[in-house]
Amino acid sequence: MKTCFLSLALTLLLGNLQARAVDLVFDFSTNNVPLYDSGGTFSTNLNGMQEDYTIAISPKGKINGSFTAFVDDGTAYLNFTGAISGVVRGSAVVLTPDDFRMSMNLRARFSGTINGTPVKGVETARSLLKPDSSMQYLIGDQHITVCIAGHGCRQSVSSVQVPVSNSSGASGAWLLALSVTNNSNKISGTAVVTLENSREFDFKVRGAFSTAKNISRLVLTGTGEAAGTKLTMELSPDNELISIRGRLLGQRFDWRADL
């Protein structure tokens, strides 16, 4: 069987011929199973309003972050400070507008002056972002409500753009490294997922080798930051990848080799 993944296997005898330690590295450097981390810091400038976003995406796809903005258009001088929440959903295997989306909610307080009069208030915004044709940005409309104390609320819609990844020219490449021991066909060990921005997620590995089907089936359970996530994979007797499925950063994947 031949796949597009690099598999490096180093086998060490542990004094017991039934126990074998194996290190494996699978390099997902093509877009067969991409993973994108859209977290990071980015800025926009819309109609004289400088906006700065800092967002982080958890391994389970939850979004948290902060927002600051400043308006200086000659009549209004306003400072905004707030928080961002949201979620990433969809498939990373085919990054298309129908499969991948990011929903974000923003709530910020502001204060300053308008025509010399002190003002303060609250801004809320919600957006649903999808990939553009270049697959480098998530774009969409932001529905905004601004309420000024004593002056009511106004609603508007503006466009927003978020990089698919904080890494320039992101391809979604990632590495999966396993260090496991096969003891009487029972497999255990650890694994690490490394994204192209060097972010890492740790996993505990459990599984077994089926002599009837000649396949190793592994379950990778997230630990630490990745707690609550799970990947499953199948390997051939010579440790080539047969299949992998799961969800990370809110992106699901289900890949199987052509047999």
Side-chain angles (χ1 to χ4, degrees):
M1 180 183 64
K2 187 176 182 181
T3 72
C4 59
F5 302 99
L6 172 64
S7 174
L8 303 178
L10 303 176
T11 304
L12 304 175
L13 293 180
L14 298 181
N16 181 341
L17 292 179
Q18 298 299 316
R20 294 180 300 142
V22 180
D23 293 332
L24 303 170
V25 177
F26 297 98
D27 182 358
F28 299 87
S29 58
T30 68
N31 284 340
N32 291 288
V33 189
L35 281 176
Y36 294 90
D37 185 357
S38 299
T41 300
F42 58 96
S43 302
T44 63
N45 192 303
L46 180 65
N47 299 325
M49 183 173 182
Q50 175 67 34
E51 300 178 331
D52 297 306
Y53 298 80
T54 299
I55 62 175
I57 301 177
S58 76
K60 297 177 70 174
K62 297 293 182 65
I63 298 172
N64 288 287
S66 61
F67 166 81
T68 61
F70 179 68
V71 176
D72 180 1
D73 63 3
T75 59
Y77 301 88
L78 303 171
N79 283 294
F80 294 73
T81 303
I84 298 171
S85 62
V87 65
V88 175
R89 300 184 188 277
S91 171
V93 175
V94 182
L95 189 59
T96 69
D98 293 330
D99 288 332
F100 186 95
R101 58 196 183 278
M102 174 191 289
S103 59
M104 288 201 307
N105 300 300
L106 180 151
R107 181 178 177 84
R109 295 187 178 276
F110 63 87
S111 62
T113 62
I114 298 179
N115 292 322
T117 301
V119 297
K120 63 179 180 180
V122 175
E123 176 191 20
T124 59
R126 56 182 175 82
S127 55
L128 179 63
L129 309 181
K130 298 180 179 181
D132 67 358
S133 58
S134 71
M135 302 301 178
Q136 292 298 306
Y137 293 95
L138 300 172
I139 59 175
D141 289 333
Q142 189 175 55
H143 298 265
I144 303 168
T145 300
V146 176
C147 298
I148 301 176
H151 296 276
C153 301
R154 295 184 62 181
Q155 295 182 332
S156 63
V157 179
S158 66
S159 61
V160 64
Q161 175 177 285
V162 177
V164 167
S165 172
N166 207 34
S167 302
S168 178
S171 66
W174 54 289
L175 293 174
L176 172 59
L178 294 89
S179 180
V180 295
T181 298
N182 183 335
N183 192 345
S184 299
N185 292 330
K186 299 295 183 181
I187 301 171
S188 62
T190 59
V192 178
V193 167
T194 304
L195 305 180
E196 61 186 334
N197 61 3
S198 298
R199 189 178 180 189
E200 294 185 345
F201 305 131
D202 295 322
F203 293 83
K204 178 177 66 177
V205 181
R206 294 291 184 270
F209 176 75
S210 170
T211 54
K213 295 189 176 182
N214 212 27
I215 286 176
S216 295
R217 290 190 171 93
L218 306 180
V219 177
L220 284 61
T221 304
T223 62
E225 183 188 4
T229 63
K230 184 174 74 173
L231 310 179
T232 60
M233 49 192 308
E234 295 178 325
L235 302 178
S236 71
D238 56 356
N239 294 320
E240 289 196 37
L241 185 63
I242 296 175
S243 69
I244 184 168
R245 65 183 303 178
R247 186 187 293 269
L248 268 179
L249 300 170
Q251 302 157 57
R252 68 180 181 274
F253 46 86
D254 188 351
W255 180 91
R256 178 168 289 274
D258 296 328
L259 301 177

